């Protein structure tokens, strides 16, 4: 499944920004179902640590709220929305746009923000792709000299964000197939169902 059409990717490649395209969003929305706790008036919290302009998470919130509204009897509905959206974005301009799309969005690095463990019902994770900078950066040492290798960003974000999910929470994890190594596959199989 392609993440973004090639001609669109050229518009964003300069900033390393690859938003989740509409086709991929639709496939994700079709695969999701609203948990019983949302239908029973409990608040669902959705989070995107790399939210960009907030479009994908904003669309997801709308879909979940629509599904929840259909499941809740009209006499039990209240004014509060059954879904709350949170986003973090590293680019100031995109973060500012996300504040208009999401309930709460901040301009920060996800590694500098404290999010309570087991506080999110759904994590929408479309992380940066590739390798991070090793700890030996700037010391004059090479990876061979320190006998270490920089970790893939996809794995770093997965392990950072998975503990944020409530018991039975949903992880939407969008990565290129080639990035799914044995370590990530084992982590996903050990910690998630379906």
């Amino acid at each position: 499944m392609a993440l973004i059409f090639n001609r669109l990717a050229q518009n964003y490649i300069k900033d390393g920004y690859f938003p989740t395209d509409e086709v991929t969003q639709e496939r994700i929305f079709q695969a999701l179902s609203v948990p019983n706790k949302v239908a029973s008036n409990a608040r669902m919290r959705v989070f995107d640590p790399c939210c960009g302009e907030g479009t994908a998470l904003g669309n997801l919130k709308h879909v979940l709220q629509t599904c929840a509204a259909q499941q809740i009897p009209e006499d039990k509905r209240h004014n509060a929305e059954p879904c709350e959206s949170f986003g973090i974005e590293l680019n100031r301009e995109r973060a500012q746009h996300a504040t208009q799309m999401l309930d709460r969005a901040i301009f920060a690095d996800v590694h500098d923000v404290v999010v309570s463990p087991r506080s999110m019902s759904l994590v929408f994770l479309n992380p940066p792709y590739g390798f991070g900078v090793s700890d030996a950066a700037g010391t004059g040492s090479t990876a061979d000299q320190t006998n270490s290798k920089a970790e893939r960003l996809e794995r770093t974000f997965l392990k950072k964000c998975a503990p944020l999910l409530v018991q039975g929470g949903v992880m939407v994890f969008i990565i290129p197939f080639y990035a799914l190594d044995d370590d990530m596959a084992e982590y996903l199989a050990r910690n998630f169902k379906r």
Side-chain angles (χ1 to χ4, degrees):
M1 160 175 21
L3 185 61
I4 193 167
F5 297 108
N6 285 336
R7 72 178 165 76
L8 292 177
Q10 296 307 314
N11 295 333
Y12 297 105
I13 199 163
K14 183 177 174 186
D15 293 331
Y17 174 53
F18 297 94
T20 308
D21 64 85
E22 290 179 15
V23 172
T24 303
Q25 287 181 47
E26 283 299 318
R27 289 178 181 167
I28 291 167
F29 302 159
Q30 290 172 6
L32 292 175
S33 62
V34 178
N36 291 338
K37 69 179 187 173
V38 175
S40 65
N41 284 338
R43 182 173 291 267
M44 184 173 193
R45 304 174 92 202
V46 295
F47 172 65
D48 187 341
C50 312
C51 71
E53 294 180 343
T55 305
L57 193 64
N59 291 342
L60 175 64
K61 176 188 171 182
H62 176 75
V63 166
L64 291 173
Q65 285 186 164
T66 302
C67 291
Q70 293 170 353
Q71 293 180 18
I72 301 170
E74 195 158 333
D75 62 330
K76 294 187 178 183
R77 292 182 195 163
H78 50 78
N79 292 336
E81 294 180 339
C83 188
E84 194 174 9
S85 57
F86 302 88
I88 299 173
E89 174 53 40
L90 188 57
N91 176 279
R92 182 181 305 273
E93 189 175 311
R94 290 191 296 261
Q96 189 171 16
H97 187 271
T99 61
Q100 299 168 7
M101 301 293 293
L102 307 175
D103 295 313
R104 293 189 187 110
I106 61 172
F107 162 58
D109 184 329
V110 70
H111 301 293
D112 296 333
V113 176
V114 176
V115 179
S116 298
R118 299 185 183 263
S119 62
M120 299 297 165
S121 307
L122 183 144
V123 173
F124 190 93
L125 184 55
N126 182 1
Y129 307 142
F131 288 95
V133 179
S134 72
D135 288 341
T139 64
S141 300
T142 64
D144 292 338
Q145 292 170 329
T146 59
N147 206 14
S148 66
K149 184 178 178 183
E151 186 171 49
R152 286 203 64 91
L153 292 169
E154 300 92 333
R155 183 181 308 118
T156 301
F157 275 80
L158 174 64
K159 289 183 178 179
K160 169 112 180 134
C161 295
L164 305 178
L165 286 168
V166 298
Q167 185 72 25
V170 175
M171 171 71 74
V172 175
F173 187 37
I174 303 171
I175 62 167
F177 183 75
Y178 66 80
L180 186 64
D181 60 18
D182 291 342
D183 183 50
M184 271 190 282
E186 181 182 333
Y187 185 86
L188 290 166
R190 194 172 356 115
N191 292 290
F192 295 94
K193 296 178 186 175
R194 293 185 283 149

